Amino acid sequence: MKELLQYVYKRRSVRRYSEEKLTDEELAAVKDYLGRLKPLVPDIHVEFQIVPCSETNCKFNAEYCLLVYSEEGNLWLTNVGYMLEQWDLYLASLGIGVCWYGMGKVEEERQCDLVYAVMLSFGKCDPSAFRNGDYDFAREDASDFWSGMNDARLGEIARLAPSSVNSQPWRVEQIDNKFNVYRQKGKVPILSNQLFKRWNKVDIGIFMCFVDIALESEGYTFTRVLGKDSDEGKRVLIATYTVERDSD
Ligand SMILES: Cc1cc2nc3c(=O)[nH]c(=O)nc-3n(C[C@H](O)[C@H](O)[C@H](O)COP(=O)(O)O)c2cc1C
């Protein structure tokens, strides 16, 4: 995933799209990449539908929306966040704008064994819609959410992860070469608890996508043990990483 690092500094939520349509080649590349996403939880079945944005409740003028359906299971929404953030970054590489759309609703919530998870709008946009570097990010400093960090580069990259209403519900506690990633209950009171719980589960998967990009691009190998998701408590242990630098 380290090839995605450069797009971490480019991507931004795109809410205004141009009239220009995706070419057939671009649409084919966008679809093809969906088949190449790396899962966080490999045995959860995920499927995608691309529909005209005008056929959804998405209020943006995007050409398309991606509808994500998934099997339910431990960390299924987190798995969706982890997978689709790769796609978000890949589309930035093609100059195609994307916005996660948590407010998305579908008529059919259930399709056989799969449940609707989330929607993302996408389409052509002005190049100025993207970022140009590591500035212009409204994010916490890594030291605010990552204790015991011994490689500042990891935090510098991970802190740039997008999240619903920019809630940044992640906490990391590190001791030597092991760290725990927690989902912390939201600090943003404007949304109903139910929606927020759901989105924060997606957010933490997006964050782990950024953590993995950071680890790989900084030359680490790692193992990761996933926790058991829960709606109880203020913070939930999502994963424990054990990392090793390739040159160690
Ligand atoms: C799970 C999720 C749901 C989101 N839902 C919406 C939404 O419904 N409407 C919207 O305008 N932005 C939505 N966003 C975009 C966030 O507001 C945005 O990612 C965050 O403010 C950080 O800004 P950036 O993506 O431009 O870096 C969502 C983001 C995530 C990760």
Side-chain angles (χ1 to χ4, degrees), residues 99-193:
C99 190
W100 286 91
Y101 196 62
M103 300 304 281
K105 285 202 165 53
V106 292
E107 269 169 30
E108 302 276 326
E109 282 267 342
R110 212 163 249 287
Q111 295 208 345
C112 303
D113 290 348
L114 305 183
V115 182
Y116 168 71
V118 76
M119 183 183 294
L120 296 95
S121 61
F122 67 101
K124 285 290 187 68
C125 60
D126 195 87
S128 64
F130 293 103
R131 291 187 174 97
N132 268 321
D134 66 355
Y135 51 91
D136 191 17
F137 279 87
R139 301 287 195 271
E140 288 185 339
D141 288 338
S143 57
D144 293 336
F145 66 82
W146 192 318
S147 67
M149 190 187 343
N150 57 20
D151 181 346
R153 265 305 280 160
L154 299 182
E156 278 165 19
I157 297 168
R159 68 179 277 275
L160 304 179
S163 54
S164 49
V165 289
N166 210 19
S167 52
Q168 304 167 74
W170 37 78
R171 292 292 172 263
V172 183
E173 288 181 358
Q174 180 161 9
I175 296 178
D176 300 327
N177 68 333
K178 263 186 197 283
F179 60 82
N180 288 339
V181 174
Y182 298 91
R183 189 183 70 241
Q184 178 114 343
K185 267 209 178 134
K187 301 157 287 179
V188 184
I190 57 167
L191 297 162
S192 87
N193 244 344

Side-chain angles (χ1 to χ4, degrees), residues 45-65:
H45 182 196
V46 182
E47 283 199 13
F48 311 101
Q49 279 176 21
I50 292 177
V51 297
C53 183
S54 56
E55 290 179 11
T56 71
N57 75 326
C58 176
K59 61 178 187 195
F60 306 139
N61 67 331
E63 186 178 2
Y64 295 110
C65 279

